[in-house]
Amino acid sequence: MIYTYLLKSLKDGSFYAGITKDIEKRLETHNRGSVINSALKRPYILVFFRKHPSYIEARRHEIWLKKKNVVYKNKLFSVAQLAPPISGGVK
């Protein structure tokens, strides 16, 4: 599986959209400053992610997400805060 993801900078509130096979590892990479395009705005938090069956679909969604304005991305962030954390099973 491949994922699209949206990060929010805790430094200035800006957003970063991307694709990856491993969300946790990618978030760590961004927060270490290893990604040139996002290094100056770290630290980041994960706002949103979506699973895709193929790279092509993930890339299309990433491009679509990058075109969305800040108002849309902030609403997505607000909704994500209301959702319960993801867990491995039902308790």
Side-chain angles (χ1 to χ4, degrees):
M1 283 295 147
I2 191 156
Y3 301 88
T4 53
Y5 64 92
L6 183 65
L7 304 178
K8 184 170 185 169
S9 168
L10 295 178
K11 183 175 183 178
D12 69 358
S14 63
F15 291 93
Y16 182 93
I19 57 177
T20 186
K21 288 184 178 179
D22 186 339
I23 294 171
E24 290 179 12
K25 185 175 178 182
R26 189 65 175 159
L27 179 59
E28 289 174 14
T29 303
H30 280 286
N31 283 328
R32 265 196 323 267
S34 301
V35 180
I36 294 170
N37 294 333
S38 65
L40 297 176
K41 297 183 178 186
R42 60 191 166 124
Y44 288 91
I45 56 170
L46 180 65
V47 172
F48 168 83
F49 69 92
R50 178 179 287 169
K51 189 183 330 184
H52 300 277
S54 70
Y55 177 85
I56 293 170
E57 289 181 33
R59 182 71 176 128
R60 284 183 186 145
H61 186 245
E62 176 195 24
I63 291 167
W64 177 85
L65 190 57
K66 285 182 177 186
K67 290 179 182 179
K68 292 299 178 187
N69 62 28
V70 175
V71 173
Y72 178 86
K73 292 174 183 175
N74 275 318
K75 285 182 182 177
L76 192 59
F77 175 63
S78 296
V79 170
Q81 288 182 314
L82 298 175
I86 297 172
S87 65
V90 178
K91 292 184 178 181

